[in-house]
Amino acid sequence: MDFYQRAKRYSIKKFTTSAFSLLANASTENLIRLTYLAERIPQKDSYREKIRWIRTLFQTEHPALTIARRVLSETHPIHRKKLIANFIVNQLLVGTNRRKAFEAEKGFYPPDAMLISPTMRCNLDCYGCYAGVYPQEDLPYNILDRLMGECKEMGIHLILMTGGEPFLREDLFALFEKHENMIFQIYTNGTLIDKKMIDRFVTLGNVVPAISLEGLREETDARRGKGQFDRIVKVMDGLREAGIFFAVSTTQTSQNTDVLTSDAFVDFLVEKGCILIWNFHYVPIGRDPELSLMVTPEQRNRTRERLAYFRATKPILFVDFWNDGCLTQGCIAAGRKYFHVNAQGDVEPCVFCHFASDNIKEKSLAEALNSPLFREIRSHQPFSENYFRPCLLIDHPQEGRTFALQHAKYFTHEKAEQLFVDFAQAIDCYAQAYGRIAEAAWKEKMERQPPQPLFVRKKVVGKPGC
């Protein structure tokens, strides 16, 4: 990086950090003014458009304004500074420009984030775990370290970690410290988080825990073990008191949907200090896959409607991995916006796509992201003009079977092919049933909001948001 670029990055970082630090008690008008300044920094049109969308939320006094104030006023100063510097500046502003430059150099645009499993070992034994039958091994530290450097070269500063239970690896804290200019969100069962670990989060500032919950006490203890809910509540209290931004991750099934979509559950998380909810639908892969645990088409549609209500009324962020196709313009797998590296080093299109063609121990990250398998998947995205049906596994299973059975070189664990072979008929029936509901919902949406052009040479140019 030349002197001009270093000076420019330093100026952006200083301006943004100072500006956000003043905004905890700033007026709405000043928040809106900040979006006009932020809009000038990214070179990518889609990011400028998202900043304008955020400005609209502020102008209409959306709960997003309360969320922004919560993050700015309730987080520890060190944590807040790192969130601003690493996520807002390095990932969204400067990182966007670097990813665009990488595209000009290498011919493809890098993903926004990397999801990686440093270990597949876990200290719980939850039924239906998507990762429950991977070999119980760790990805070597030198590979993790190397990947962080390769990500930053591409402009990726957002790293998501899952497993297994990541905090079984004590050497992760050395990784967090070495790569202090990245932000790490860790999906964790929370059992290993204690006062000492929370103090380390405060000192580092760049770690965001995402704690697994299945609902309230009954649902969580039924899947994760008796007493686990109460332990998680104690952890959340400790994180809130320390000023650590934290998220909650839920696995939605046919059995806990009513609880996860209730006001009581969301209000409980807001009260505990949670800022973000990740909702993942159960997919019949991994440990003892069970089709009956899948969210029904009707439940899935109800969830989409309820999250729209929550987003308009609750001061908490929501990400629904299947129902948020409108926000991502379809499927995000295969490096379009994210990908997964498992603990064996296999580079999978998605954390739920247990097939691969490359291993990161043998290839660079850039080579793996530009592999024939990933290029083939990206060339078909989005799989439908209906963004309520984004997924290649459960919405367009014929596409998923083609990628897995014809284009991938191998499955990444024993019996991973079951989803594409033994369950093919059942998944097709699911896709058809939900497809009918989704088509009606999409038609209604388009009648309320005239569609923008969806495709230009397979590149999505639609507006963000649902």
Side-chain angles (χ1 to χ4, degrees):
M1 187 185 299
D2 60 25
F3 174 78
Y4 171 75
Q5 290 297 327
R6 288 198 302 271
K8 182 178 179 182
R9 173 175 286 197
Y10 176 79
S11 298
I12 292 172
K13 182 176 179 180
K14 290 294 290 183
F15 162 74
T16 308
T17 302
S18 300
F20 274 89
S21 296
L22 295 172
L23 289 177
N25 299 306
S27 66
T28 302
E29 290 74 17
N30 284 339
L31 282 171
I32 293 170
R33 290 191 188 101
L34 182 69
T35 65
Y36 284 104
L37 295 172
E39 190 180 337
R40 300 176 184 178
I41 299 174
Q43 296 174 1
K44 201 165 188 284
D45 289 341
S46 63
Y47 280 89
R48 287 196 290 266
E49 190 168 354
K50 287 175 181 176
I51 292 171
R52 290 193 287 271
W53 176 52
I54 291 171
R55 179 164 61 245
T56 301
L57 298 180
F58 288 166
Q59 290 170 332
T60 57
E61 297 186 356
H62 190 273
L65 183 60
T66 303
I67 297 168
R69 294 194 191 282
R70 285 185 63 196
V71 173
L72 292 168
S73 63
E74 297 177 10
T75 51
H76 189 280
I78 296 175
H79 193 43
R80 180 170 62 244
K81 183 178 180 180
K82 286 292 184 74
L83 288 172
I84 295 168
N86 294 348
F87 185 69
I88 302 297
V89 178
N90 294 341
Q91 173 67 18
L92 296 183
L93 300 179
V94 176
T96 298
N97 294 344
R98 175 58 196 143
R99 294 193 291 276
K100 191 174 181 66
F102 182 93
E103 179 183 31
E105 296 168 10
K106 304 296 185 180
F108 70 96
Y109 191 81
D112 296 331
M114 175 174 70
L115 176 66
I116 189 165
S117 293
T119 182
M120 284 302 177
R121 294 179 293 121
C122 189
N123 56 341
L124 295 183
D125 189 29
C126 306
Y127 66 80
C129 175
Y130 80 93
V133 293
Y134 279 105
Q136 303 296 288
E137 62 184 82
D138 293 356
L139 191 62
Y141 181 88
N142 67 307
I143 300 294
L144 291 172
D145 185 36
R146 192 199 92 202
L147 286 173
M148 299 307 118
E150 292 184 30
C151 278
K152 285 185 280 190
E153 284 297 313
M154 295 182 181
I156 303 170
H157 288 260
L158 174 60
I159 305 299
L160 312 174
M161 286 190 174
T162 185
E165 170 49 48
F167 288 126
L168 286 171
R169 295 268 310 251
E170 293 187 3
D171 57 357
L172 288 184
F173 283 89
L175 192 79
F176 303 152
E177 185 174 8
K178 179 176 181 180
H179 298 280
E180 62 176 355
N181 59 348
M182 307 182 87
I183 197 79
F184 296 90
Q185 184 191 264
I186 317 298
Y187 293 102
T188 172
N189 59 39
T191 57
L192 302 177
I193 299 177
D194 55 14
K195 177 65 165 57
K196 182 178 178 181
M197 188 177 288
I198 291 174
D199 289 342
R200 297 179 80 178
F201 293 158
V202 171
T203 301
L204 288 165
N206 62 344
V207 180
V208 176
I211 304 170
S212 297
L213 272 180
E214 310 302 333
L216 297 173
R217 179 177 289 104
E218 179 181 351
E219 296 78 26
T220 299
D221 286 1
R223 188 178 189 217
R224 299 189 169 271
K226 187 175 181 180
Q228 180 64 5
F229 178 80
D230 290 336
R231 284 191 286 272
I232 290 174
V233 169
K234 186 178 295 186
V235 169
M236 290 192 291
D237 288 341
L239 292 168
R240 184 187 68 245
E241 291 167 6
I244 296 296
F245 180 118
F246 72 91
V248 157
S249 171
T250 59
T251 298
Q252 183 182 354
T253 71
S254 58
Q255 299 175 359
N256 66 355
T257 292
D258 288 346
V259 173
L260 295 184
T261 57
S262 68
D263 284 271
F265 178 66
V266 176
D267 290 342
F268 163 76
L269 293 180
V270 172
E271 178 187 348
K272 287 298 172 185
C274 179
I275 299 290
L276 169 64
I277 301 174
W278 288 88
N279 188 52
F280 298 95
H281 298 187
Y282 172 80
V283 177
I285 56 174
R287 178 180 294 131
D288 299 327
E290 176 56 62
L291 287 165
S292 67
L293 287 176
M294 290 184 68
V295 176
T296 69
E298 294 76 16
Q299 287 175 323
R300 181 174 170 186
N301 188 59
R302 174 63 173 164
T303 300
R304 181 184 58 79
E305 295 172 341
R306 288 293 289 169
L307 291 191
Y309 161 73
F310 290 148
R311 283 173 171 147
T313 59
K314 308 288 187 182
I316 191 168
L317 298 169
F318 294 86
V319 178
D320 188 314
F321 201 66
W322 279 265
N323 283 334
D324 278 349
C326 284
L327 301 179
T328 60
Q329 287 76 58
C331 173
I332 64 175
R336 178 175 169 257
K337 289 186 177 294
Y338 108 113
F339 62 102
H340 178 231
V341 179
N342 67 31
Q344 301 170 109
D346 303 311
V347 186
E348 299 171 329
C350 169
V351 73
F352 299 103
C353 292
H354 295 182
F355 54 86
S357 289
D358 296 293
N359 191 288
I360 207 64
K361 298 174 184 176
E362 302 164 356
K363 292 191 175 181
S364 70
L365 182 55
E367 289 174 314
L369 289 173
N370 203 32
S371 69
L373 172 62
F374 276 33
R375 290 200 308 269
E376 179 67 19
I377 294 174
R378 290 198 296 264
S379 73
H380 288 75
Q381 293 166 327
F383 304 111
S384 169
E385 295 185 6
N386 182 342
Y387 292 156
F388 291 160
R389 301 176 61 221
C391 181
L392 65 87
L393 295 179
I394 62 172
D395 292 324
H396 306 280
Q398 71 285 356
E399 300 270 13
R401 285 195 290 272
T402 298
F403 299 138
L405 300 175
Q406 298 182 24
H407 294 283
K409 293 181 181 178
Y410 57 92
F411 288 97
T412 52
H413 63 74
E414 187 178 357
K415 295 185 179 180
E417 72 279 3
Q418 190 172 16
L419 178 67
F420 307 100
V421 179
D422 298 347
F423 296 161
Q425 183 175 357
I427 298 298
D428 283 346
C429 290
Y430 173 92
Q432 292 167 11
Y434 179 69
R436 290 189 289 270
I437 295 173
E439 288 303 321
W442 187 256
K443 180 180 179 181
E444 180 183 349
K445 169 184 161 50
M446 290 297 99
E447 288 174 351
R448 293 197 315 267
Q449 175 187 320
Q452 300 294 316
L454 292 177
F455 306 98
V456 176
R457 295 184 183 179
K458 296 297 288 182
K459 183 175 182 180
V460 180
V461 295
K463 290 185 175 181
C466 260

